[in-house]
Amino acid sequence: MNPPSLDKLRILHYPSPILSRAAEPVEDFDDTLRALATRMLALMREAKGVGLAAPQVGVGIRLFVCNPTGEEGGDMVCVNPRFTELTGTAEEEEGCLSIPGVTVSIRRATSAVLERRDLEGHVMTQRATDLVARIWQHEADHLDGRLIIDQMSTADEIANRRAIKQLREQYQAGK
Ligand code: ZN
């Protein structure tokens, strides 16, 4: 992994191409990885988000951070995550730190079992439901280059048309 200088990391907006690319598995569980996770947690907190995936800060590796409660001690770092079980479905509105001003109704599993590695490389398995399960699925989608706007209904497309157009214009303007 060769990330840009950590100080320079920022949350990239749609349509940055890296957001649509599948990320690579993490192989080295080193200080660079730990520093990246720390920086991503800070950026997530600053943006008042509940989750952030590495491609969103321009690093194409399979890592995401989340904190569903926003409380201290609630931070979670997931490396090379994969679901071993997804059950139930529910549709809820979601936003994304990389697509400000856009909300999309997304159908997701209501219960998930996630296998991941921690920053030391240890495998851990955890079950979650509802909001936490939803955040995991949203962030895991980022690692496959899948965004909430890839799953819009016609109604969502119409409702978000202006915001998406603005994001494209800002990107073109080199913002
Ligand atoms: Zn997102």
Side-chain angles (χ1 to χ4, degrees):
M1 182 182 57
N2 191 14
S5 157
L6 288 176
D7 297 343
K8 292 199 180 119
L9 287 187
R10 59 187 179 88
I11 298 175
L12 302 177
H13 288 172
Y14 171 85
S16 294
I18 194 165
L19 294 173
S20 301
R21 277 186 219 132
E24 298 291 328
V26 171
E27 281 165 14
D28 298 325
F29 293 81
D30 54 11
D31 287 346
T32 311
L33 189 73
R34 284 182 276 278
L36 172 67
T38 302
R39 177 74 182 129
M40 284 174 58
L41 283 163
L43 284 168
M44 176 186 75
R45 208 164 290 127
E46 218 171 88
K48 301 194 183 346
V50 290
L52 186 66
Q56 292 181 273
V57 296
V59 183
I61 61 167
R62 302 188 77 82
L63 178 156
F64 71 74
V65 299
C66 64
N67 185 333
T69 59
E71 279 163 29
E72 225 176 294
D75 290 346
M76 182 175 175
V77 178
C78 299
V79 184
N80 298 344
R82 76 180 183 100
F83 293 107
T84 56
E85 196 185 303
L86 288 168
T87 51
T89 63
E91 200 169 308
E92 298 275 353
E93 296 266 308
E94 288 182 21
C96 179
L97 292 178
S98 290
I99 320 175
V102 170
T103 54
V104 180
S105 189
I106 307 275
R107 181 168 291 280
R108 296 203 191 270
T110 51
S111 175
V113 177
L114 186 73
E115 188 189 282
R116 63 177 167 114
R117 287 178 187 271
D118 66 11
L119 285 169
E120 311 299 325
H122 302 130
V123 177
M124 316 180 76
T125 303
Q126 201 174 332
R127 176 187 291 277
T129 56
D130 303 317
L131 177 65
V132 178
R134 180 168 289 273
I135 294 167
W136 285 353
Q137 291 168 81
H138 177 114
E139 300 310 327
D141 271 357
H142 274 298
L143 306 183
D144 291 326
R146 202 158 43 232
L147 302 173
I148 55 172
I149 56 169
D150 299 330
Q151 304 169 62
M152 285 193 291
S153 65
T154 307
D156 279 334
E157 263 175 38
I158 292 165
N160 289 309
R161 189 170 287 161
R162 184 184 293 268
I164 290 169
K165 186 167 172 265
Q166 267 175 9
L167 285 166
R168 288 199 182 118
E169 284 167 0
Q170 281 167 2
Y171 183 79
Q172 287 303 328
K175 205 208 131 269

